[in-house]
């Protein structure tokens, strides 16, 4: 006992010491948690001896910068997450076999420690196959060159490499004291990833591999549970977990395993030329509530923050650079509202139920109507929590439950932490909406900043320089062989670009034949992915974009020798499917020149000279050191940055803390670097005109259901993390493939410029008002049951002006609210008093607050639209008032 107390004291002391040190910013804290063990039973994970109901925030560390990590983790915690979940990205951690890299955005130890220091748990999904819409699914490209290798099956070379890397990561976490039993945050691991989807492709080898992978993982002595997601045959103690839009019907493969949801798809990824997917938060909250209602115990948002595929990390076919995912925290690190806020309320409601949910071994089921049902968790000591669902997609339902009548909106769940009081309904959103804008930074507000305006648009620079990429051999590393080699076999993914050079001799006869018959010769390729271009005698003769499509490209040849150049380009390597090692890139099948008088020429019979990449890429002319050495020439204003040209400029960064984006909508396709940091590929590829219908939250969601952005480029704005910028003279280097106008590139600030709230008397009071009085176990109580509106601007901003406020029966929604005849005259005054000049405010939804009842017997609503302004500019405004 005494020993135990002393340990407790020492730990508390250590914790305090840690916090003190953290405040001084001198060193890292090394013990936040007291060591605890993690196990599980049929109901839940057992953490330090207690079953827990857990919500988890998916964040992939390399999709943000280390400077962004603390804020992302803090916003996850504030949003009610208990856990942070991430994959581990093998390709970047071991870029060369046996040479490991854990720096910068890949400093996984630092990331895990930040999660620990925030007091959150961590679920580490090692894979090491991760899919993740990441280049090659996270496999290093060198892996495919290991003799005899077949990925993800009972194959000795693959198993040896996989085991070595998984052990490396587990050992690293152990050395850094990051497992729960060491006082670290890691409560759970993952081996493999959605293997069940492809297992049948491997026959018995697949089955053996699953057993081997589980045994290998368990043999590493990590001391915390392992999961396999989408793996119905997960062996022994490994928990099979669910991934999907809904997982409430999921049951693990053994009665001793809890129901875990490793990937709750709260949005979806996008491809170049695709629409942008959105999942309504009412449906997402419904899915989560249904999961806990029907016995689930751990749920992870995939993604809570999606972030950015910087560099060439995005997978394929052709995934965009943004990995926003419509997540509760947007690509730039700002809250996406009302998604973030409504889920925070949901998590609060689930927390209030936790004690009953974990102390109950079985659930009582009540059918309340044809499409209505309740699940009741009767815990110890009179504790009782219930979920009441109406899964009718169209109609509200009035149900009778434990002696009371409740009206439940369509496709929604009401949560009753004490079986008596509804504290939350998934379809009733009280959280604010935020409207994001990309503001042009104003010169007159940020002192000394130069703003450049042209045709009403801002642009970042009026002086650009250019440098043409040679359409010729420049490398000292070229080689010549007979035949068409496979793309990845040559590039090893050192670059997106692979050039094939040859010469073709054309006779008089052929030219006469083409002229007589009015036909042209064609390059024909059986199958090609992602981008193919052909140049004849130095001129671009055609381009094809697609995923394993046939190429039939007419070209023009002249009599005599013709220089023929084929360019194969990748836009993110395949990240999903069986036999990735064979998938490859570039061309498949026959490559021919057809339409000659004498018949077709099999081009694989010719001698080809191979060159990997771009000259500028290999000279690193995008870097601060090397760009000075290159032979740039001035680009004349109103001139394009031509196809296959490097263009550069210097720009000042906007002041303040708002995230920064470059708008590259005036460019074609290519890659961009800021101060040597690769901000990603860009492509002004336009989404289809059709398919963006009006979106209703009810009914099963799928990725095509609530898309936006029809007829517009899929992505024009590219995140440049603040930590990559200096205040002035930032080097921007662009490699442009199609030709575009760099003079129209602008730098934009990403902010929530407007917030709107719409809360009525029938909304539930804020979750944080509910509590369990110590004396009355099983009963929750509330000091004040009045609903409230809560408004909040981003950090560094305050509510600047109230553009609309009406307490009564206002109509419309954010950006088109209108008063009706029922309107409290005090509305605007009350809201202004409460909110103006503040970062956040709350207003009670009651007649008393607004000087009386504006219309008796009618349900009143408060609707507010407010503008957020930067705190700096508000200070100027405030002093003007006084
Ligand atoms: C965790 O479990 C191990 C093995 O059963 C035990 O030795 C250790 O004391 C436990 N640690 C804690 C903190 O309970
Ligand atoms: C569960 O708790 C509720 C509310 O306290 C009670 O009405 C009900 O009878 C209990 N059910 C069981 C099976 O114990
Ligand atoms: C600052 O400049 C912008 C753009 O020209 C203008 O609209 C705005 O009124 C100016 N603001 C102030 C405070 O002068
Ligand atoms: C090619 O050039 C690079 C850079 O100038 C040099 O480092 C390398 O050794 C050269 N390789 C060969 C094979 O000459
Ligand atoms: C790539 O290279 C490997 C080993 O050199 C070879 O076995 C394989 O057939 C090549 N792939 C293709 C598609 O040419």
């Amino acid at each position: 006992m005494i020993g135990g107390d002393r340990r407790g004291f020492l730990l508390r002391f250590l914790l305090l010491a840690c916090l003190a040190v953290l405040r001084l910013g001198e060193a890292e804290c090394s013990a936040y948690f007291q060591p605890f063990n993690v196990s599980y039973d049929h109901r839940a994970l057992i953490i330090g001896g207690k079953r827990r109901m857990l919500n988890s925030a998916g964040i992939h560390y390399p999709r943000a910068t280390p400077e962004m990590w603390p804020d992302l983790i803090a916003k996850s915690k504030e949003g009610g997450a208990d856990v942070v979940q991430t994959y581990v990205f093998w390709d970047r951690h071991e870029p060369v076999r046996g040479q490991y890299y854990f720096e910068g955005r890949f400093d996984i130890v630092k990331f895990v420690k930040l999660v620990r220091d925030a007091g959150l748990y961590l679920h580490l999904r090692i894979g090491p196959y991760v899919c993740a819409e990441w280049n090659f699914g996270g496999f290093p490209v060198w892996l495919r060159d290991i003799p005899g290798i077949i990925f993800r099956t009972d194959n000795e070379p693959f198993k040896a490499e996989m085991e070595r890397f998984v052990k490396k990561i587990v050992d690293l976490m152990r050395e850094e004291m990051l497992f729960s039993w060491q006082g670290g945050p890691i409560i759970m691991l993952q081996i493999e990833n959605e293997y069940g989807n492809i297992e049948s492709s491997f026959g018995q080898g697949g089955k053996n591999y699953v057993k081997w992978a589980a045994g290998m993982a368990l043999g590493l002595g990590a001391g915390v549970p392992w999961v396999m997601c989408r793996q119905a045959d997960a062996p022994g103690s490994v928990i099979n977990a669910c991934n999907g839009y809904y997982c409430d019907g999921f049951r693990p493969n053994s009665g001793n395993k809890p129901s875990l949801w490793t990937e709750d798809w709260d949005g979806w990824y996008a491809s170049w030329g695709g629409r942008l997917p959105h999942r309504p938060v009412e449906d997402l909250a419904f899915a989560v509530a249904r999961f806990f209602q029907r016995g689930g115990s751990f749920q992870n948002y995939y993604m809570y923050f999606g972030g950015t595929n910087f560099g060439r990390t995005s997978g394929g076919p052709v995934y965009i650079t943004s990995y926003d995912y419509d997540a509760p925290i947007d690509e730039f690190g700002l809250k996406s509202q009302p998604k973030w806020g409504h889920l925070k309320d949901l998590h609060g409601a689930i927390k209030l139920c936790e004690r009953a949910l974990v102390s109950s071994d079985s659930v009582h089921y009540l059918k309340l109507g044809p499409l209505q049902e309740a699940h009741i968790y009767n815990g110890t000591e009179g504790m009782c929590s219930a979920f009441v669902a109406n899964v009718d997609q169209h109609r509200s339902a009035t149900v009778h439950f434990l002696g009371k009548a409740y009206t439940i909106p369509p496709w929604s769940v009401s949560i009753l932490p004490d079986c008596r009081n509804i504290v939350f309904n998934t379809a009733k959103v009280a959280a604010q909406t935020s409207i994001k804008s990309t503001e042009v930074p104003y010169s007159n507000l940020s002192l000394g900043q130069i703003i450049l305006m042209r045709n009403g648009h801002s642009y970042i620079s009026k002086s650009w320089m250019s440098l043409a990429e040679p359409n010729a051999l420049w490398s000292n590393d070229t080689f010549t062989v007979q035949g068409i080699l496979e793309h990845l076999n040559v590039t090893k993914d050192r670059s997106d670009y692979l050039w094939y050079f040859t010469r073709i001799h054309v006779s008089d006869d052929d030219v006469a034949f083409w002229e007589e018959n009015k036909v042209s010769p064609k390059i024909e390729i059986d199958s090609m992915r992602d981008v193919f271009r052909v140049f004849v005698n130095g001129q671009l003769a055609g381009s094809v974009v697609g995923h394993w499509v046939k190429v039939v490209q007419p070209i023009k040849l002249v009599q005599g020798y013709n220089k023929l150049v084929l360019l194969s380009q990748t836009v993110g390597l395949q990240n999903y499917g069986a036999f990735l090692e064979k998938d490859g890139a570039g061309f498949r099948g026959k490559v021919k020149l057809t339409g000659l008088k004498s018949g077709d020429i099999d081009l694989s019979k010719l001698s080809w000279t191979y060159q990997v990449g771009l000259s500028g890429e290999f000279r690193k002319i995008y870097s601060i050191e090397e760009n000075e050495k290159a032979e740039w020439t001035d680009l004349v204003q109103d001139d394009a940055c031509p196809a296959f040209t490097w263009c550069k400029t210097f720009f000042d960064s906007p002041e303040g803390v708002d995230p920064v984006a470059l708008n590259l909508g005036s460019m074609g396709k290519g890659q961009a670097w800021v101060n040597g940091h690769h901000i990603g590929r860009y492509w002004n590829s336009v989404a289809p005109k059709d398919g963006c219908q009006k979106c209703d939250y009810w009914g099963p969601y799928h990725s095509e259901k609530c898309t936006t952005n029809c007829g517009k480029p899929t992505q024009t704005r590219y995140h440049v993390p603040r930590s990559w910028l200096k205040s002035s003279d930032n080097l921007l280097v662009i490699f442009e493939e199609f030709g575009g106008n760099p003079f129209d590139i602008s730098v934009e600030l990403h902010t929530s410029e407007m917030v709107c709230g719409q809360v009525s008397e029938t909304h539930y009071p804020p979750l944080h008002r509910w509590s369990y009085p110590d004396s009355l176990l099983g009963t929750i109580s509330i000091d004040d049951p009045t609903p409230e509106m809560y408004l909040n601007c981003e950090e560094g901003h305050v509510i600047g002006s109230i553009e609309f406020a009406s307490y009564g029966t206002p109509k419309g929604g954010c950006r088109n609210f209108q008063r009706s005849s029922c309107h409290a005259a005090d509305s605007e005054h009350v809201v202004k008093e409460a909110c103006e000049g503040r970062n956040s405010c709350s207003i009670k939804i009651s007649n008393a607050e607004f000087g009386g009842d504006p219309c008796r017997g009618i349900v009143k609503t408060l609707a507010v639209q407010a503008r957020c302004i930067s705190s700096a500019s508000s200070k100027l405004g405030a002093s003007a008032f006084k």
Side-chain angles (χ1 to χ4, degrees), residues 364 376-378 382-384 402 418-420:
H364 296 284
I376 307 166
Y377 292 86
N378 284 68
M383 230 126 45
C384 178
L402 299 180
D418 61 353
C419 289
R420 290 183 194 90

Side-chain angles (χ1 to χ4, degrees), residues 301-343:
Y301 296 101
Y302 189 101
M303 304 297 301
Y304 197 72
F305 162 81
T308 310
N309 293 309
F310 295 115
R312 299 190 302 114
T313 60
S314 76
V318 297
Y319 302 146
I320 65 172
T321 292
S322 166
Y323 198 62
D324 181 86
Y325 220 88
D326 196 33
I329 302 178
D330 73 17
E331 176 183 2
F332 298 87
L334 303 188
K335 290 168 191 168
S336 192
Q337 295 279 37
K339 210 168 213 178
W340 182 91
H342 192 53
L343 296 176

Side-chain angles (χ1 to χ4, degrees), residues 683-704:
W683 193 349
N684 219 24
S685 187
V686 176
K689 274 211 200 67
D690 306 314
C692 297
Q693 312 94 340
K694 182 177 171 307
C695 169
D696 297 315
Y697 78 82
W698 49 81
Y701 179 76
H702 52 87
S703 63
E704 294 298 317

Side-chain angles (χ1 to χ4, degrees), residues 460 464 661-674 679-685 713 715-720 732-734 736 740-742 744-748:
I460 60 171
W464 281 84
L662 284 181
N663 189 325
L664 300 178
S666 63
M667 302 302 288
K669 176 184 182 299
Q671 299 177 35
W673 291 259
V674 171
I679 64 167
R681 299 185 185 98
Y682 67 87
W683 193 349
N684 219 24
S685 187
Q715 184 174 5
T716 52
R717 298 163 59 223
Y718 295 82
H719 185 201
V720 185
L732 170 61
V733 177
I734 285 180
E736 171 59 42
N741 182 358
D744 274 350
I745 293 175
S746 56
V747 63
E748 298 179 339

Side-chain angles (χ1 to χ4, degrees), residues 439-457:
E439 277 179 4
V440 171
Y442 288 120
S443 55
N444 46 10
L445 292 181
S446 46
L447 298 172
Q449 174 126 7
I450 305 155
I451 181 149
L452 304 161
M453 301 287 290
R454 199 164 63 102
N455 306 332
H457 297 291

Side-chain angles (χ1 to χ4, degrees), residues 475-478 618-619:
S475 171
N476 60 0
D477 201 19
T478 61
F618 280 77
R619 291 164 64 197

